[in-house]
Amino acid sequence: MKKLKLTGKQTWQFENPLFIHSSGTAVGPKEAEGPLGQYFDIKHKELHCGEDNWELAERRLMEQAVEQCLTKGNKTKDDIDLFLAGDLLNQNVTANYVARHLSLPFLCMFGACSTSMETVAIGAALIDGGFASQVIAATSSHNATAERQFRYPTEYGGQKPDTATFTVTGSGAVLINKEVSNIKITSATIGKVADLGIKDPFDMGSAMAPAAADTIAQHLKDLNRTPDDYDLFLTGDLSGVGSPIVKELLKEEGYDVHDKHNDCGLMVYRPDQQVFAGGSGCGCSAVVTYAHIFNELKAGNLKRVFVVATGALLSPTMIQQKESIPTIAHGVVFERADGGVSS
Amino acid sequence: MVKMKEDYKNKIRDYQPKPPYFMNCFKAFLIGGLICLCGQGIQNFYMNVFHFSEKDAGNPTVATLILISALLTGFGVYDKIGQFAGAGSAVPVTGFANSMTSAAIEHRSEGLVLGVATNMFKLAGSVIVFGVVAAYIVGMIRYFYGLAF
């Protein structure tokens, strides 16, 4: 009988060598002005991204991210077997309408802000299982579409607390295949939904930290590893409030990641950009990982990174019904590999 | 020792930045007061230049404040004032106008009827409902009080 690729309870170890062939990112003005601005492929000067409304703007970002991914990887749409994508909006309209434009076999996915690693994990697993050979995984978010759907109209004068996060306007896409490159995908851990009773939609960092800690701890248990085996544990958008909490939660489980943890929400913006606790959104983990972290891996500054995208699975209706916020975190291990030229 | 997970809501309090209550109150007081001061100035203007009586000047004053608020919302300024002032800019009539204007602007993409017109009262609707219900109840109390005494 063939060996099960499920290791432990929640971790998939890929049998075949799988690689990130190329990536593409497109962001809005605030992200372009942030500390990682120079690494993004396409930068828009205005939040509408040249479109008539916010939803069209978000679609544009995802289309551009996918286009960049294909161009940089010297591939065309016809080379791609499968498109996996998701976003924050109701019915995942951004992903669906972009899929319409691309006209590729498509699986829509929803993981809120954990969608980036969810799509990469599933894409890798499908290639490993022989169900596809070229997969594009993409996700996006837009500050205005998220505000409009989850909170208030963009010009509303409501006061946000310091625990709030700022949804990233950005999209990231990656092309996964078996062609040797500098970035290898070796394993992925699928998270379970966690909920410790947090009800405040203006403090999602606190709600998501337990899910991130759970996934990281389970990953290390499943693979029988310690934090020393990794260079970086990168969470998606726990931001200023959730980051210290996840480190403390992991410490209580016996895993000290203090000097090896960072968070995409803290990396994508400067503190003086008026973003409260930091960045959030599907695009947050996607653009930081696919632009900056991949560069660091290629340069050899990082050798093994566990990127854990965190999602808050709430809706405005659930909040109004006084329900708490269920959260989830999916992680993928990216490793520096020698040989091959990637872009 | 109790693990963080077992008493999560209480244990995370140390990690959540505390709202600067005193500063927030002060800022709200300052901006709220300034808005009322502007309102008074506008009322005086109508009384002195257009010779309205104090009572008659009330309506054009409110209308002017609503207009200014709507314009500031449209120019993208009101939300910045709101982040600073909190209740100070939300409570006066200017906050009400902002809630309607911002909702109307936001839903322009869905058309005039189902977008702008339907959603305009998304935030203001509750204010109107509770305002009318409260006025009714107080009115009833006043009426029966008047009958009794």
Side-chain angles (χ1 to χ4, degrees), chain A:
Chain A
M1 194 187 86
K2 255 195 133 182
K3 186 176 147 227
L4 199 61
K5 297 184 208 194
L6 172 67
T7 312
K9 302 203 89 171
Q10 289 166 229
T11 303
W12 296 343
Q13 279 196 289
F14 302 116
E15 188 183 353
N16 294 287
L18 302 171
F19 299 93
I20 294 286
H21 184 79
S22 58
S23 65
T25 51
V27 298
K30 220 180 184 79
E31 295 71 25
E33 288 159 26
L36 303 177
Q38 53 178 307
Y39 302 123
F40 302 126
D41 297 319
I42 297 198
K43 294 173 271 214
H44 288 272
K45 292 201 178 61
E46 204 269 319
L47 213 49
H48 279 95
C49 306
E51 298 289 337
D52 287 333
N53 65 50
W54 306 127
E55 283 72 22
L56 287 169
E58 190 177 339
R59 246 178 262 168
R60 186 106 205 275
L61 289 171
M62 196 187 266
E63 279 167 20
Q64 287 180 324
V66 174
E67 255 167 63
Q68 279 294 304
C69 182
L70 287 168
T71 311
K72 285 161 74 181
N74 277 317
K75 300 269 183 207
T76 64
K77 247 179 10 153
D78 300 321
D79 299 317
I80 309 302
D81 302 321
L82 188 62
F83 180 49
L84 301 174
D87 59 89
L88 287 174
L89 304 184
N90 286 336
Q91 289 80 54
N92 267 346
V93 280
T94 311
N96 289 327
Y97 281 63
V98 169
R100 174 185 70 177
H101 162 78
L102 290 175
S103 206
L104 289 169
F106 171 58
L107 283 171
C108 192
M109 312 191 79
F110 184 78
C113 312
S114 70
T115 306
S116 61
M117 292 303 115
E118 183 183 1
T119 48
V120 170
I122 300 288
L126 287 170
I127 296 178
D128 202 38
F131 295 104
S133 52
Q134 309 277 346
V135 175
I136 289 195
T139 185
S140 73
S141 58
H142 190 290
N143 188 268
T145 57
E147 285 299 306
R148 188 223 254 267
Q149 180 167 291
F150 289 97
R151 291 170 281 274
Y152 299 113
T154 38
E155 294 306 329
Y156 178 63
Q159 191 181 52
K160 286 201 181 145
D162 288 327
T163 52
T165 49
F166 193 89
T167 307
V168 161
T169 301
S171 175
V174 282
L175 173 44
I176 308 167
N177 58 25
K178 288 188 188 166
E179 293 165 42
V180 180
S181 82
N182 289 122
I183 303 170
K184 199 172 176 200
I185 305 173
T186 53
S187 60
T189 300
I190 302 300
K192 291 195 304 237
V193 175
D195 189 342
L196 290 182
I198 303 298
K199 294 186 181 184
D200 184 4
F202 286 103
D203 180 12
M204 292 196 289
S206 302
M208 295 189 293
D214 209 48
T215 299
I216 293 174
Q218 193 60 51
H219 173 84
L220 292 171
K221 274 195 204 98
D222 287 344
L223 296 185
N224 205 14
R225 287 184 187 162
T226 71
D228 291 330
D229 297 314
Y230 294 80
D231 293 321
L232 179 64
F233 290 89
L234 185 67
T235 45
D237 50 1
L238 297 181
S239 289
V241 181
S243 292
I245 297 177
V246 75
K247 288 188 261 201
E248 193 55 38
L249 285 168
L250 281 167
K251 195 154 163 219
E252 284 181 352
E253 298 299 314
Y255 298 111
D256 188 355
V257 302
H258 272 81
D259 51 348
K260 294 199 175 185
H261 173 265
N262 207 340
D263 183 84
C264 298
L266 293 171
M267 294 168 79
V268 71
Y269 296 122
R270 291 189 317 269
D272 64 283
Q273 280 186 281
Q274 290 172 323
V275 288
F276 310 101
S280 67
C282 307
C284 189
S285 55
V287 301
V288 173
T289 306
Y290 303 163
H292 176 57
I293 298 300
F294 282 178
N295 280 351
E296 294 291 285
L297 279 163
K298 279 183 235 165
N301 297 333
L302 292 170
K303 304 227 176 25
R304 184 186 273 163
V305 184
F306 188 38
V307 180
V308 183
T310 47
L313 306 168
L314 78 169
S315 83
T317 308
M318 290 295 105
I319 296 299
Q320 282 158 6
Q321 290 180 350
K322 305 278 183 276
E323 295 274 348
S324 54
I325 301 173
T327 58
I328 198 167
H330 300 299
V332 176
V333 180
F334 297 102
E335 294 184 24
R336 170 98 171 74
D338 295 314
V341 181
S342 73
S343 41

